Amino acid sequence: VQLQASGGGLVQAGGSLRLSCAASGRTSNVYSVGWFRQAPGKEREFVASIRWNIGTTYYADSVKGRFTVSRDNAKKTAYLQMNELRTEDTAVYYCATGPAAREYAFWGQGTQVTVSS
C-alpha cells in the first residue's frame, strides 16, 4: 500500500485546513487509517483514526471537537478536517495504515502544518 498525504500549509490560529491521504496499491486489507503528527523536538503522537469499512472514529483528547476524520471508500482517500487550529497543532502530519488495529505498517511522506499566532 502506498499513501500520499497532502493539504498542509500555513494558517493563522483559529483557521482551518483539510488534509488528504490517498491510498493506492493493495488496499483490500486496510483495517484503518490513522493520522499522526510530530512537532520539532517531540515524539510522534496519535491524532485520529478511522476504521475503513465501518467508519468508526477515534481521536486524541487534544483534538476532540476540533478535528474530524473521514474517508471516501470509492476514492480510497481519508481526510482530516482541522478546525480551530492552534499554534500547538504545528507539526508534520502523517497518515498511516495497516491490516489490523493499531498496526500501522504503511506510512505516507508527511505534510507540514504550520499555525501562526
Side-chain angles (χ1 to χ4, degrees):
V1 178
Q2 294 80 44
L3 300 176
Q4 180 73 35
S6 61
L10 173 64
V11 63
Q12 287 190 327
S16 299
L17 281 174
R18 188 177 80 155
L19 306 183
S20 298
C21 178
S24 60
R26 298 187 65 179
T27 59
S28 59
N29 293 331
V30 167
Y31 181 85
S32 66
V33 173
W35 287 95
F36 297 80
R37 66 186 181 187
Q38 187 166 21
K42 295 187 177 181
E43 294 187 353
R44 185 172 61 198
E45 63 175 355
F46 169 80
V47 175
S49 66
I50 184 165
R51 285 277 302 273
W52 195 253
N53 288 336
I54 62 176
T56 306
T57 58
Y58 305 89
Y59 297 94
D61 288 343
S62 59
V63 305
K64 278 182 183 176
R66 301 188 297 123
F67 290 11
T68 303
V69 60
S70 62
R71 90 277 192 240
D72 184 325
N73 294 53
K75 295 183 178 179
K76 297 183 180 181
T77 300
Y79 303 96
L80 184 67
Q81 177 67 44
M82 306 185 294
N83 299 328
E84 301 176 33
L85 283 162
R86 305 168 181 168
T87 55
E88 54 263 39
D89 294 319
T90 295
V92 177
Y93 283 71
Y94 300 88
C95 60
T97 190
R102 295 182 293 280
E103 184 177 321
Y104 295 104
F106 307 99
W107 291 78
Q109 84 286 8
T111 184
Q112 176 71 47
V113 171
T114 303
V115 184
S116 64
S117 58

